[in-house]
Amino acid sequence: MELVRIYESLCEPTRLRLLHVLAAGPLCVCHFQAVLREPQVKISKHLGYLRARGLVECEREGNWMIYRLPAKPSRELRSNLACLQDCVRENPVFRRDRARLAKLAPRLARTGPACCP
Amino acid sequence: MELVRIYESLCEPTRLRLLHVLAAGPLCVCHFQAVLREPQVKISKHLGYLRARGLVECEREGNWMIYRLPAKPSRELRSNLACLQDCVRENPVFRRDRARLAKLAPRLARTGPACCP
DNA sequence: GATTCATATTCCCTCAAGGGAATATGAATC
DNA sequence: GATTCATATTCCCTTGAGGGAATATGAATC
């Protein structure tokens, strides 16, 4: 059941944070590290997990791997991502992530989702 | 994070079916067995799991345990249950459960959620 | 109080998840 | 081609989930 794969992907806080941040746009791994302040292994493993289950897509760009939400998400995935965004709106951890992401915004605007140009 | 507990509860098919059936109203364990056609241990364990995480409530009535959705669900839980109902609407397994539940409806109307009067 | 019925719990097993340290990979640069 | 940088993978460990058989519990009945 696809739904179960989705819920399995959602039942870990780091992955929720990754998906929440991704909702704002594509991002490379080192930016995730900067935003979540979690070790590289952890970020990379969880992104790999999400990718294996089709919750994110990725593409290499030079040294960097750019992750994004799926271009054509299933109805189930769309509903659940929307529900997630709604649920975490007022959660301090997620707000903090958004705030850190916002500080990167000017750089992202210049260089695109990859880290350092 | 409460959200994670919710998603953990949702990432198993039997539990999704239980919650889906519960959305139609309170029910005792033996009715769950009849509707899901799963062994007693399995039903009981998963109901216990859901209960421990606050996704269902229960109350003894004579020999029977009546399970129901929480009287005052959190916003997160409400959103996710709604999302779940929406996602499974067209899924054959869940539809079959509903159909079997419907066949019990006349009896339920007479005796309440407990099994045999 | 012994039996019966509905339900819960225990025990045993297997398997996958999650964390971190260390190492591998693959692209770019010198 | 050696080095560097970003990212992925491997290895090792601990922990919890899930399934089923067997057993326990608690209420009702005889």
Side-chain angles (χ1 to χ4, degrees), chain B residues 12 15 42 45-46 53 60 62-63:
Chain B
E12 206 281 336
R15 291 199 291 265
K42 196 168 174 180
K45 272 189 183 174
H46 283 302
R53 280 168 176 70
R60 181 176 274 279
N63 267 337

Side-chain angles (χ1 to χ4, degrees), chain A residues 10-18 36 94, chain B residues 1 4:
Chain A
L10 296 180
C11 69
E12 206 282 337
T14 306
R15 291 199 290 265
L16 292 186
R17 294 171 70 193
L18 291 171
L36 302 204
F94 290 82
Chain B
M1 202 172 334
V4 171

Side-chain angles (χ1 to χ4, degrees), chain A residues 58-85:
Chain A
C58 69
E59 185 190 10
R60 181 175 276 279
E61 187 168 311
N63 266 337
W64 297 271
M65 284 294 273
I66 313 298
Y67 283 86
R68 44 173 49 85
L69 294 181
K72 297 184 179 177
S74 66
R75 195 170 64 87
E76 287 95 331
L77 182 53
R78 238 182 311 117
S79 301
N80 275 290
L81 288 180
C83 184
L84 171 63
Q85 300 305 321

Side-chain angles (χ1 to χ4, degrees), chain B residues 73-101:
Chain B
S74 66
R75 194 170 64 87
E76 286 95 332
L77 182 54
R78 238 182 311 116
S79 302
N80 275 290
L81 288 179
C83 185
L84 171 64
Q85 299 305 320
D86 181 54
C87 286
V88 303
R89 226 176 346 171
E90 298 178 1
N91 181 302
V93 175
F94 290 82
R95 290 175 78 101
R96 181 154 37 86
D97 288 346
R98 283 277 195 172
R100 293 207 194 106
L101 181 63

